[in-house]
Amino acid sequence: MTATPPDVIRCAYAEFVVSDLAASRAFYVDVLGLVVTHEDDDAIYLRAFEEYLHHSLVLRKGTTPALAVLAYRVRTPGDLDLAEAYYRELGVRVDRRPAGATRGIGEAVRIEDPLGFPVEFFHEAEHVERFTQRYDVHGAGALSRLDHFNLCTPDVPAARRYYEGLGFRVSEDIQDDEGTVYAAWMFRKPTVHDVALTGGDGPRLHHIAFAGHERHQILHICDHLGALRESGMIERGPGRHGVSNAFYLYLRDPDGHRIEIYTHDYYTGDPDNPVITWDVHDNQRRDWWGNPVVPSWYAEASPVLDLDGTPQPLTVRSDTREADVTIGADGFSYTSGQQGFKLGQQV
């Protein structure tokens, strides 16, 4: 590559195609408490309480639930020219979009990246009220900001090299003794990740994550769903990750899109921040308490669309899959090896 890549600041927003706006609104607004910036018959634009850009999530009505776009904010308007030149040299599809093509977003560059994902780069965006101190409207589960994307891709090392070309750095990864890489966490903002790369058939979206400040906010969301008798939306957790050290909860929205609620990872901004590598057989990597990962978490993910709105075909992962070499998160490591099984495994 001779072209200079754009200077990416952070992950900024995602757009989901959903089948029923009312059902999606009930989940994202009434349960998760996201703030509505704008809504009409075709779409809902949402943000978390500390966000001042127009939105961090768009729900757009359509016939095929899928990921429509992932967006990264770049540092300057000039980075759009860099993005256009960079991706044209890569030979992928590039669309230059005028300001307002997406409500609240300025001029942008949309591309189909080398991994098959629809990605947008933008700088300018409409500013709206930041609700940081609007405690009068905060619910008990109030979410702070969009934190990261997690992508299913068949070749994690290749995906890592692509993101390293954009200036992303690795915070943690999962490998085995043979050198197979199962996942990698990569960042631009000084947290554990803006994007995670999970080995699997792809391109698919595994999840997007919103961050809160405290664990009790996650527990409140669980209680809220229980009160609604909608606990089936809880796919996994609450628990604590080994990777990232964050407290987590995974939910599935009415269309099956996976949402993580996430808190308390760590600072990664120093230039010599060390990479943490986990053994795929360590049962604490995915859940610090050693709880098993439900099969759907490994197997299911949202389809992604190309820039014409057509679902992208999948490439099958040829390397060993993480789910094939461990029983959920319960490999027989030091926390369970003495008894030979863990409660919940017995028939």
Side-chain angles (χ1 to χ4, degrees):
M1 290 290 295
T2 59
T4 301
D7 185 359
V8 175
I9 298 174
R10 60 177 178 88
C11 65
Y13 80 85
E15 181 177 312
F16 288 166
V17 178
V18 300
S19 61
D20 184 330
L21 277 178
S24 293
R25 191 187 198 283
F27 175 75
Y28 287 99
V29 179
D30 299 341
V31 175
L32 298 188
L34 294 177
V35 178
V36 177
T37 302
H38 175 84
E39 59 185 322
D40 53 39
D41 291 341
D42 297 316
I44 305 173
Y45 299 78
L46 302 168
R47 67 188 193 276
F49 282 93
E50 292 184 357
E51 295 175 320
Y52 64 90
L53 298 192
H54 186 269
H55 59 265
S56 56
L57 179 62
V58 182
L59 307 173
R60 194 173 302 281
K61 186 176 180 180
T63 57
T64 304
L67 170 71
V69 72
L70 300 171
Y72 293 100
R73 196 175 192 198
V74 295
R75 193 165 302 278
T76 70
D79 282 294
L80 298 183
D81 295 330
L82 295 179
E84 183 173 6
Y86 184 82
Y87 284 98
R88 291 199 186 283
E89 185 173 333
L90 276 179
V92 301
R93 180 173 172 182
V94 180
D95 287 352
R96 193 78 178 234
R97 292 166 59 87
T102 296
R103 180 182 289 272
I105 300 297
E107 189 179 7
V109 172
R110 278 199 184 183
I111 56 102
E112 291 175 11
D113 77 10
L115 311 181
F117 289 89
V119 175
E120 177 175 288
F121 300 95
F122 74 95
H123 174 73
E124 299 289 348
E126 180 182 338
H127 286 199
V128 293
E129 182 181 1
R130 178 181 251 164
F131 277 14
T132 306
Q133 294 175 327
R134 285 294 310 274
Y135 297 111
D136 54 318
V137 296
H138 285 206
L143 301 178
S144 302
R145 57 179 173 79
L146 179 71
D147 187 80
H148 63 262
F149 309 136
N150 188 306
L151 314 180
C152 293
T153 186
D155 187 338
V156 175
R160 170 179 170 164
R161 289 191 295 271
Y162 160 65
Y163 268 100
E164 285 176 329
L166 286 173
F168 285 68
R169 293 162 56 198
V170 176
S171 59
E172 307 198 25
D173 63 12
I174 297 173
Q175 300 189 27
D176 63 18
D177 290 341
E178 288 71 47
T180 301
V181 182
Y182 295 86
W185 285 255
M186 306 190 72
F187 65 93
R188 287 291 293 172
K189 68 182 186 306
T191 64
V192 171
H193 57 319
D194 288 275
V195 65
L197 307 168
T198 295
D201 301 346
R204 295 180 298 161
L205 175 73
H206 192 272
H207 66 266
I208 67 169
F210 285 93
H213 283 299
E214 301 181 41
R215 287 171 289 180
H216 75 76
Q217 295 167 319
I218 290 176
L219 298 177
H220 172 78
I221 290 171
C222 294
D223 284 338
H224 191 158
L225 286 168
L228 297 175
R229 295 192 175 271
E230 292 287 359
S231 58
M233 287 184 161
I234 300 172
E235 180 186 35
R236 181 181 164 209
R240 183 174 296 283
H241 285 309
V243 175
S244 82
N245 199 51
F247 200 76
Y248 71 85
L249 174 71
Y250 291 97
L251 306 171
R252 303 295 286 271
D253 82 358
D255 287 295
H257 298 306
R258 183 180 289 108
I259 305 296
E260 182 182 17
I261 311 301
Y262 181 93
T263 189
H264 291 168
D265 60 353
Y266 57 87
Y267 172 77
T268 59
D270 282 13
D272 56 352
N273 181 74
V275 176
I276 298 171
T277 293
W278 292 78
D279 188 315
V280 71
H281 299 289
D282 186 338
N283 73 324
Q284 292 188 289
R285 74 201 185 286
R286 292 292 191 182
D287 185 279
W288 186 245
W289 307 335
N291 290 319
V293 179
V294 295
S296 63
W297 193 90
Y298 282 119
E300 298 174 9
S302 297
V304 305
L305 305 179
D306 65 18
L307 298 190
D308 295 318
T310 302
Q312 291 276 36
L314 295 183
T315 298
V316 175
R317 177 175 169 86
S318 58
D319 288 338
T320 308
R321 297 168 185 264
E322 187 176 350
D324 295 337
V325 295
T326 183
I327 305 169
D330 267 333
F332 295 130
S333 74
Y334 67 89
T335 59
S336 57
Q338 292 181 348
Q339 67 222 40
F341 68 90
K342 190 176 178 74
L343 291 177
Q345 290 185 330
Q346 51 285 49
V347 177

